[in-house]
Amino acid sequence: MRMFRTGLALLAAAVVGLALVPGPATASPTASPSPSSTPITIPAGAVSWIPATCATGSIDPVTVDQSHYLLMTHMTICSTYYAPLRYALAVFRPGRTASVVGRNQLLAYAPAGPSDRMADVRVTASETVFGLCIMRDLSTRTACVRVDIAADGTAVSAPIAPDDPLVAQPVTYTDVDIFPPDNYCATCVAFPDAGAGHPARVMPGGLGCGGGVPTAYIRKDRRSRRRRRRP
Protein backbone atom coordinates (compact mmCIF):
# COMPACT_ATOMS: atom_id res chain seq x y z
CA MET A 1 0.00 0.00 0.00
CA ARG A 2 2.87 2.39 0.91
CA MET A 3 4.52 1.69 -2.46
CA PHE A 4 1.19 2.33 -4.24
CA ARG A 5 0.78 5.72 -2.51
CA THR A 6 4.38 6.64 -3.33
CA GLY A 7 3.76 5.80 -7.00
CA LEU A 8 0.64 7.96 -7.10
CA ALA A 9 2.55 10.86 -5.55
CA LEU A 10 5.32 10.60 -8.14
CA LEU A 11 2.79 10.42 -10.98
CA ALA A 12 0.97 13.51 -9.70
CA ALA A 13 4.21 15.43 -9.43
CA ALA A 14 5.11 14.49 -12.99
CA VAL A 15 1.74 15.71 -14.29
CA VAL A 16 2.13 19.02 -12.43
CA GLY A 17 5.64 19.42 -13.79
CA LEU A 18 4.45 18.89 -17.35
CA ALA A 19 1.74 21.51 -16.88
CA LEU A 20 4.31 24.05 -15.69
CA VAL A 21 6.79 23.53 -18.55
CA PRO A 22 6.29 26.38 -21.05
CA GLY A 23 5.67 25.36 -24.65
CA PRO A 24 7.05 27.07 -27.76
CA ALA A 25 5.88 30.67 -28.19
CA THR A 26 3.16 31.18 -30.80
CA ALA A 27 3.11 34.51 -32.65
CA SER A 28 -0.23 36.23 -32.49
CA PRO A 29 -1.65 37.28 -35.85
CA THR A 30 -0.96 40.92 -36.78
CA ALA A 31 -3.67 42.86 -38.51
CA SER A 32 -2.55 44.40 -41.78
CA PRO A 33 -2.96 48.16 -41.99
CA SER A 34 -6.13 49.35 -43.69
CA PRO A 35 -6.71 52.64 -45.50
CA SER A 36 -9.26 53.67 -42.89
CA SER A 37 -6.64 53.46 -40.13
CA THR A 38 -4.38 56.01 -41.81
CA PRO A 39 -5.47 59.65 -41.52
CA ILE A 40 -5.62 61.46 -44.84
CA THR A 41 -5.78 65.24 -44.98
CA ILE A 42 -8.15 66.69 -47.57
CA PRO A 43 -7.48 70.33 -48.53
CA ALA A 44 -10.29 72.73 -47.72
CA GLY A 45 -12.82 72.64 -50.54
CA ALA A 46 -10.97 69.91 -52.41
CA VAL A 47 -13.49 67.16 -51.85
CA SER A 48 -12.10 64.97 -54.64
CA TRP A 49 -8.38 65.75 -54.26
CA ILE A 50 -6.83 63.45 -51.66
CA PRO A 51 -3.03 63.94 -51.89
CA ALA A 52 -0.29 61.45 -51.13
CA THR A 53 2.24 62.31 -48.44
CA CYS A 54 5.25 61.43 -50.61
CA ALA A 55 5.82 61.29 -54.37
CA THR A 56 8.61 61.80 -56.89
CA GLY A 57 8.19 63.08 -60.42
CA SER A 58 9.86 64.08 -63.66
CA ILE A 59 8.90 65.69 -66.99
CA ASP A 60 10.25 64.74 -70.42
CA PRO A 61 11.40 67.34 -72.98
CA VAL A 62 8.66 69.11 -74.91
CA THR A 63 7.58 68.01 -78.38
CA VAL A 64 5.31 69.94 -80.75
CA ASP A 65 2.57 68.54 -82.96
CA GLN A 66 0.28 70.91 -84.86
CA SER A 67 0.41 73.64 -82.20
CA HIS A 68 0.00 71.13 -79.36
CA TYR A 69 2.88 71.43 -76.90
CA LEU A 70 3.24 67.94 -75.45
CA LEU A 71 5.11 67.00 -72.30
CA MET A 72 5.10 63.46 -70.90
CA THR A 73 5.02 63.49 -67.11
CA HIS A 74 5.92 60.74 -64.66
CA MET A 75 4.74 60.60 -61.03
CA THR A 76 5.59 57.81 -58.58
CA ILE A 77 4.13 57.46 -55.11
CA CYS A 78 6.66 56.80 -52.34
CA SER A 79 4.19 56.55 -49.46
CA THR A 80 1.59 53.83 -48.94
CA TYR A 81 -0.56 53.43 -52.04
CA TYR A 82 -4.31 53.93 -51.72
CA ALA A 83 -6.58 54.01 -54.75
CA PRO A 84 -8.27 57.37 -53.90
CA LEU A 85 -4.98 59.32 -53.82
CA ARG A 86 -4.60 61.89 -56.59
CA TYR A 87 -2.13 64.41 -58.02
CA ALA A 88 -2.44 67.02 -60.75
CA LEU A 89 -0.63 68.93 -63.49
CA ALA A 90 -0.68 72.73 -63.49
CA VAL A 91 0.23 75.19 -66.24
CA PHE A 92 1.61 78.61 -65.34
CA ARG A 93 1.35 81.46 -67.81
CA PRO A 94 2.93 84.91 -67.31
CA GLY A 95 0.40 87.58 -66.43
CA ARG A 96 -2.13 85.17 -64.90
CA THR A 97 -3.07 85.44 -61.25
CA ALA A 98 -3.42 81.69 -60.62
CA SER A 99 -3.32 78.22 -62.15
CA VAL A 100 -6.65 76.43 -61.86
CA VAL A 101 -7.04 72.65 -61.50
CA GLY A 102 -10.44 71.06 -62.04
CA ARG A 103 -11.89 67.80 -60.77
CA ASN A 104 -11.54 66.07 -64.14
CA GLN A 105 -7.83 66.97 -64.23
CA LEU A 106 -6.96 64.96 -61.10
CA LEU A 107 -4.76 61.97 -61.87
CA ALA A 108 -4.47 58.59 -60.17
CA TYR A 109 -1.19 57.03 -59.08
CA ALA A 110 -0.11 53.64 -60.36
CA PRO A 111 -0.07 50.92 -57.65
CA ALA A 112 3.58 50.25 -58.55
CA GLY A 113 5.98 52.29 -60.64
CA PRO A 114 5.30 55.64 -62.31
CA SER A 115 2.01 57.01 -63.58
CA ASP A 116 2.70 58.41 -67.05
CA ARG A 117 0.42 61.16 -68.39
CA MET A 118 0.83 63.56 -71.30
CA ALA A 119 0.19 67.27 -70.82
CA ASP A 120 -1.25 68.92 -73.94
CA VAL A 121 -0.79 72.69 -73.73
CA ARG A 122 -2.16 75.21 -76.23
CA VAL A 123 -0.94 78.81 -76.32
CA THR A 124 -1.99 82.11 -77.86
CA ALA A 125 -0.05 83.64 -80.72
CA SER A 126 1.53 86.14 -78.33
CA GLU A 127 2.68 83.64 -75.69
CA THR A 128 6.36 82.79 -75.81
CA VAL A 129 6.82 80.94 -72.50
CA PHE A 130 4.89 78.87 -69.98
CA GLY A 131 5.67 76.65 -67.02
CA LEU A 132 4.36 73.20 -66.16
CA CYS A 133 4.51 71.52 -62.75
CA ILE A 134 3.42 68.18 -61.32
CA MET A 135 1.50 69.03 -58.16
CA ARG A 136 1.44 66.54 -55.28
CA ASP A 137 -1.00 68.87 -53.56
CA LEU A 138 -2.04 72.49 -53.89
CA SER A 139 1.32 73.83 -52.72
CA THR A 140 3.87 71.06 -53.41
CA ARG A 141 5.51 71.23 -56.83
CA THR A 142 7.19 67.87 -57.32
CA ALA A 143 8.77 68.67 -60.70
CA CYS A 144 8.63 71.74 -62.97
CA VAL A 145 9.80 72.76 -66.42
CA ARG A 146 10.00 75.98 -68.41
CA VAL A 147 8.94 75.89 -72.07
CA ASP A 148 10.21 78.61 -74.42
CA ILE A 149 8.44 79.02 -77.76
CA ALA A 150 10.17 80.50 -80.81
CA ALA A 151 8.51 82.68 -83.44
CA ASP A 152 8.20 79.70 -85.79
CA GLY A 153 6.34 77.66 -83.15
CA THR A 154 9.21 75.38 -82.21
CA ALA A 155 9.90 74.99 -78.50
CA VAL A 156 12.54 73.88 -76.02
CA SER A 157 12.06 72.96 -72.37
CA ALA A 158 14.31 72.85 -69.33
CA PRO A 159 13.80 71.79 -65.71
CA ILE A 160 13.38 74.64 -63.23
CA ALA A 161 13.22 74.82 -59.44
CA PRO A 162 9.80 74.58 -57.76
CA ASP A 163 10.27 78.13 -56.44
CA ASP A 164 11.13 79.61 -59.84
CA PRO A 165 9.22 82.90 -60.40
CA LEU A 166 7.63 81.48 -63.56
CA VAL A 167 5.67 78.93 -61.50
CA ALA A 168 5.16 81.07 -58.40
CA GLN A 169 1.46 81.72 -59.04
CA PRO A 170 -0.85 80.04 -56.53
CA VAL A 171 -2.65 76.89 -57.59
CA THR A 172 -6.38 76.85 -56.92
CA TYR A 173 -8.67 73.83 -57.08
CA THR A 174 -12.31 73.68 -58.04
CA ASP A 175 -14.38 70.58 -57.36
CA VAL A 176 -16.09 70.79 -60.74
CA ASP A 177 -14.96 69.74 -64.21
CA ILE A 178 -12.94 72.11 -66.38
CA PHE A 179 -14.53 72.72 -69.79
CA PRO A 180 -14.03 71.76 -72.55
CA PRO A 181 -12.38 68.35 -72.83
CA ASP A 182 -9.79 68.04 -75.58
CA ASN A 183 -10.04 65.26 -78.15
CA TYR A 184 -6.41 65.44 -79.27
CA CYS A 185 -5.59 62.22 -77.42
CA ALA A 186 -7.66 60.09 -75.07
CA THR A 187 -5.18 60.13 -72.19
CA CYS A 188 -3.87 63.70 -72.49
CA VAL A 189 -4.45 66.30 -69.80
CA ALA A 190 -5.59 69.24 -71.89
CA PHE A 191 -4.79 72.87 -71.16
CA PRO A 192 -6.62 74.89 -73.84
CA ASP A 193 -5.59 78.39 -74.85
CA ALA A 194 -7.68 80.87 -72.84
CA GLY A 195 -7.07 83.82 -75.09
CA ALA A 196 -5.31 86.96 -73.96
CA GLY A 197 -7.04 88.92 -71.23
CA HIS A 198 -9.42 86.16 -70.12
CA PRO A 199 -8.59 84.97 -66.60
CA ALA A 200 -9.14 81.41 -65.46
CA ARG A 201 -12.65 80.98 -64.15
CA VAL A 202 -15.27 78.36 -63.39
CA MET A 203 -18.84 78.63 -64.56
CA PRO A 204 -21.96 77.23 -62.85
CA GLY A 205 -22.50 73.52 -63.36
CA GLY A 206 -18.85 72.82 -64.04
CA LEU A 207 -18.68 74.80 -67.27
CA GLY A 208 -15.51 76.76 -66.85
CA CYS A 209 -12.12 77.61 -68.18
CA GLY A 210 -9.11 76.50 -66.27
CA GLY A 211 -6.51 78.64 -67.79
CA GLY A 212 -8.78 78.22 -70.04
CA VAL A 213 -11.27 78.53 -72.85
CA PRO A 214 -11.42 81.26 -75.49
CA THR A 215 -14.42 83.54 -75.12
CA ALA A 216 -15.07 82.99 -78.84
CA TYR A 217 -15.52 79.30 -78.13
CA ILE A 218 -18.17 80.04 -75.49
CA ARG A 219 -20.00 82.41 -77.86
CA LYS A 220 -19.91 79.77 -80.59
CA ASP A 221 -21.34 77.21 -78.18
CA ARG A 222 -24.16 79.60 -77.20
CA ARG A 223 -24.99 80.23 -80.88
CA SER A 224 -25.11 76.47 -81.44
CA ARG A 225 -27.58 76.03 -78.57
CA ARG A 226 -29.79 78.84 -79.96
CA ARG A 227 -29.80 77.20 -83.41
CA ARG A 228 -30.80 73.86 -81.87
CA ARG A 229 -33.81 75.51 -80.17
CA ARG A 230 -35.15 76.84 -83.49
CA PRO A 231 -38.03 74.82 -85.02
Side-chain angles (χ1 to χ4, degrees):
M1 177 63 77
R2 183 178 299 174
M3 292 180 61
F4 179 73
R5 290 175 178 170
T6 301
L8 286 176
L10 292 174
L11 178 60
V15 171
V16 172
L18 287 175
L20 296 177
V21 174
T26 303
S28 60
T30 303
S32 57
S34 64
S36 60
S37 65
T38 303
I40 297 175
T41 302
I42 302 176
V47 177
S48 301
W49 189 345
I50 306 176
T53 56
C54 177
T56 59
S58 63
I59 305 174
D60 291 348
V62 66
T63 60
V64 185
D65 183 19
Q66 301 177 4
S67 75
H68 292 263
Y69 293 86
L70 307 173
L71 299 106
M72 179 61 75
T73 67
H74 314 278
M75 189 69 154
T76 305
I77 192 168
C78 49
S79 55
T80 303
Y81 169 80
Y82 298 124
L85 298 179
R86 294 291 184 268
Y87 69 97
L89 307 180
V91 168
F92 300 85
R93 306 175 191 260
R96 303 294 170 85
T97 57
S99 177
V100 180
V101 173
R103 179 175 54 197
N104 60 320
Q105 294 176 318
L106 297 178
L107 305 173
Y109 288 94
S115 172
D116 304 322
R117 295 298 296 268
M118 181 76 77
D120 172 20
V121 183
R122 305 295 298 274
V123 299
T124 65
S126 61
E127 287 182 295
T128 59
V129 63
F130 67 85
L132 174 74
C133 291
I134 309 177
M135 307 296 299
R136 180 170 63 81
D137 54 42
L138 284 172
S139 59
T140 306
R141 293 154 173 77
T142 303
C144 299
V145 296
R146 173 191 178 101
V147 178
D148 289 282
I149 304 168
D152 61 359
T154 58
V156 294
S157 60
I160 57 176
D163 58 354
D164 188 282
L166 179 62
V167 294
Q169 302 161 8
V171 176
T172 60
Y173 174 77
T174 174
D175 222 19
V176 298
D177 293 342
I178 295 295
F179 179 85
D182 194 298
N183 294 323
Y184 176 77
C185 74
T187 59
C188 288
V189 181
F191 296 94
D193 154 37
H198 301 292
R201 61 195 183 278
V202 177
M203 296 183 177
L207 182 67
C209 352
V213 177
T215 301
Y217 186 97
I218 299 170
R219 290 173 182 152
K220 178 181 177 182
D221 183 67
R222 289 171 178 167
R223 288 196 299 269
S224 299
R225 290 198 297 270
R226 285 197 295 269
R227 283 196 295 268
R228 285 196 296 269
R229 286 196 294 267
R230 292 175 183 174

